[in-house]
Amino acid sequence: MPRLFSRATLFAALASTACSAPPPRPPTLPPSLPPSVAPSASHSTPCASLTALALPGVTVSSATLDGSGVVTSSLGRTPVPPFCRVQAIARPTADSEIHIELWLPAEASWNGKLAGTGNSGFKGDLSYGAMAKALASGFATGGHDTGHTGEDLRFGFGHPEKVVDYGYRAVHLMTTTLKAVARAHYGRAESHAYFTSCSAGGQQALSEVQRYPDDYDGVVAGAPSNNRVAQTFGLLWSWLALHDAKGAPLVTPAQLHKVTEATLEACDAIDGLADGLIDDPRRCTFDPAALACAKGVSSPDCLGAQQVEAIRKVHAGLKSPRTGEPIFAGYPKGGEALQADGVPGWLRYLLGPKEPARVGILRYFVFRDPSWDYHSVDWDRDYATARREASALDATETNLAPFASRGGKLILQSGWADAVIPPEDTIAYYDAVTTAMGGADKTRAFARLFMTPGSPHCGLGGTGPDNIDALAAIDQWVTTGNAPERVIAVTNPTDPSDPPRAPRSRPLCPYPQVARYRGAGSIDDAASFVCQAPERGASAVISGTQK
Ligand SMILES: [Ca+2]
């Protein structure tokens, strides 16, 4: 039986992907560093002299050599080569203050490539862990704080430019600054530039592809929060479904646990392999009414009618009361209690919070009224207002031709048990891109989606193999031109934010393909699986065992 509860810290984040209506493109784009900023090459600039670089709107405040050989971050201690640590501040507007760090390995250690990193949630801090991993692999890397500190959404109240910095400007300016400073330091241009991140960082990844298609040659967007405004309403819908009028939770964490256990029991084998993982919850027809209390019984060990209805609402998602069209996808069956102890299950964003998660987006960014009452929400009118007023937070453009036509490559990853950004939302975005780009073949040539069974948000503490080497995967695609036909995912024994899991590897397949057991060999070994088209209808069930 897979672990349903475990301890781990979520590097949170929100948001989501696509829906039907294409969002408005930003009316104006922030300033970019002109190409002339980059030195013409052949003149390398010593680390300490980088503070003298003249960059429009950017001040290099510090540049020092770090020869300690190790970076300590939330991921632990990472051995790294000596590097030049550059700190800079970008001020694209009078109200902006974007903190940027660039870590440039010594020339002898540099692989000639750049790696941009993103952020989680609304936290205004740098992703030192991701930067350390990139640096250790030979990349010159950059990160930023999104233009504010802390996670309190009041940062944007009365500061619309800071919301734009958070939404898409900070990551772009980090990128142009990374390119300019690296070119100055090494005296030559990079061979390739990549961006990999998850959650809010996944939104940044897609924003770069959509708004600044020249920034990166390869991008990996994990669990992207690119449908941020719709997700805010999805979170509100789910929270209201799971709480009474006074804000008291209608369901207990223990009951969520029972729902997830029963769902897994009912739906694990639908994919043909009883391996503790639900491959595609859309095929799972389990109804929480199966756990309903007997007539006249009220007990924490079963579900009352109101509880059944609440859970159904969260699974169903939010639809427009006017048109019936989906506004935001429902949360997947089987993800209710994965990592319920403080991480991605519903407890983290849907059931546990005292008030709806991210309601501050509506209070401070959209309605600009700290006393805005979420109980008064009009799902039709208020959603339309938010799409307009908070468009800087969305990255839902589906025409990716500018990125594709210059050879850009995009990998998307989504967990089938993600209780923060529903997998169906990411699939909806990919499907919409496929339509906009002229079909599956044209889309697969530059953009592929990899669904990950048993994986909650950003692969933190799930029950399945969900860790991929994103930088290596995108580098392989960009440098060889060979599109990934499968990406090997493993359980992660090294990430301290992940609970220990039995070693297991599994191929992730380009959507809509699925990984299927060959019928021989260990089910914990990726070599025992092939990628193939999904079955239509029922399939034979192979009972596997977990080591
Ligand atoms: Ca299964």
Side-chain angles (χ1 to χ4, degrees), residues 264 267-279 453 506 516:
L264 188 60
C267 296
D268 178 358
I270 290 175
D271 52 48
L273 184 64
D275 57 352
L277 305 174
I278 297 176
D279 171 275
R506 191 67 65 87
R516 288 293 177 260

Side-chain angles (χ1 to χ4, degrees), residues 250-278:
L250 292 172
V251 182
T252 68
Q255 286 172 318
L256 281 188
H257 191 184
K258 288 181 184 297
V259 170
T260 295
E261 269 192 329
T263 303
L264 188 60
E265 181 76 22
C267 296
D268 178 358
I270 290 175
D271 52 48
L273 184 64
D275 57 352
L277 305 174
I278 297 176

Side-chain angles (χ1 to χ4, degrees), residues 194-198 201-203 205-206 209 217-224 400 403 408-414 426 429-430 443-452 468-478 482-488 508-511:
Y194 307 131
F195 184 89
T196 67
S197 196
C198 195
Q203 180 266 335
L206 290 179
V209 168
D217 305 303
V219 169
V220 180
L400 305 185
F403 179 73
K409 301 292 186 284
L410 171 64
I411 288 175
L412 293 130
Q413 186 184 9
S414 172
T426 303
Y429 177 68
Y430 187 76
T443 303
R444 285 167 49 85
F446 80 96
R448 296 190 173 204
L449 166 63
F450 294 87
M451 301 304 297
T452 312
I468 66 170
D469 189 335
L471 262 178
I474 197 68
D475 184 43
Q476 168 83 6
W477 193 357
V478 169
N482 298 322
E485 299 301 337
R486 51 195 261 153
V487 175
I488 302 301
L508 306 182
C509 306
Y511 181 85

Side-chain angles (χ1 to χ4, degrees), residues 152-163 364-365 368:
D152 191 325
L153 290 171
R154 280 175 290 190
F155 82 85
F157 185 46
H159 297 278
E161 295 293 353
K162 286 188 181 297
V163 176
Y364 305 123
F365 302 178
R368 303 179 184 91

